[in-house]
Amino acid sequence: MSGGRGRMGGRGLGPGGECVCPNCGYRVSHSRGEPCYNKTCPKCGAKMTRA
Ligand SMILES: [Zn+2]
């Protein structure tokens, strides 16, 4: 086993992955090149952070 990208469905930081709102806990998935700190929570408007 090499490569290390074989596990889907777990938690863990993949490429892309999720952003989480530190304020309300709302999570969104995001894609590469779109940093969490550039996103705002759709629920409360706080800056998102990396999950
Ligand atoms: Zn929020």
Side-chain angles (χ1 to χ4, degrees):
M1 284 190 201
S2 58
R5 247 201 225 189
R7 271 198 197 183
M8 302 299 268
R11 38 179 84 196
L13 303 174
E18 287 190 316
C19 300
V20 60
C21 174
N23 193 46
C24 73
Y26 188 84
R27 285 170 173 256
V28 290
S29 59
H30 77 105
S31 46
R32 291 180 68 160
E34 190 181 13
C36 294
Y37 51 80
N38 281 348
K39 297 174 84 71
T40 51
C41 177
K43 289 186 80 171
C44 72
K47 286 248 169 100
M48 309 289 288
T49 187
R50 180 104 195 217

